[in-house]
Amino acid sequence: QVQLVESGGGLVQAGGSLRLSCAASGRTLSRYAMGWFRQAPGKEREFVASITWSTGMTSYHDSVKGRFTISRDVAKNMVYLQMNSLKAEDTAVYYCTARSLTSATYDYWGQGTQLTVSS
């Protein structure tokens, strides 16, 4: 089992920045990929970004490329999502997730943290 706890959400003006944090525990993460998903009201949950814990390789949804940066702190077992140039359409509940590198699906989820971007 992997336990994930997000923090850092809040209200920010369009054009602003915010950093989300995710504290991970329970397993050695070297065999996992960590991700951020989001779900806006009335919409399906969508992939935002991911990072492979061991290599640091990252992947992003096209809508956030160049604005969001995912990173991890191996020593602290933390995953971060730095969000810049925020837009109203980034408003959503953001979830930290984890999947085993042998799995095609994200099996572990945090409780989510709300980001609201005011225009």
Side-chain angles (χ1 to χ4, degrees), residues 23-76:
S25 63
R27 285 282 180 91
T28 301
L29 298 176
S30 60
R31 298 180 180 180
Y32 285 81
M34 309 298 293
W36 287 95
F37 281 66
R38 66 186 180 186
Q39 186 166 22
K43 295 187 177 181
E44 293 188 354
R45 191 173 296 185
E46 67 175 6
F47 169 81
V48 175
S50 67
I51 186 166
T52 302
W53 191 266
S54 59
T55 65
M57 184 179 298
T58 60
S59 179
Y60 297 92
H61 190 277
D62 284 347
S63 66
V64 306
K65 282 181 180 177
R67 300 190 298 124
F68 290 11
T69 302
I70 188 171
S71 63
R72 87 271 195 246
D73 186 323
V74 175
K76 297 181 179 179

Side-chain angles (χ1 to χ4, degrees), residues 83-98:
M83 304 180 291
N84 300 326
S85 302
L86 283 163
K87 306 175 182 180
E89 50 263 44
D90 294 319
T91 295
V93 177
Y94 284 71
Y95 297 91
C96 180
T97 71

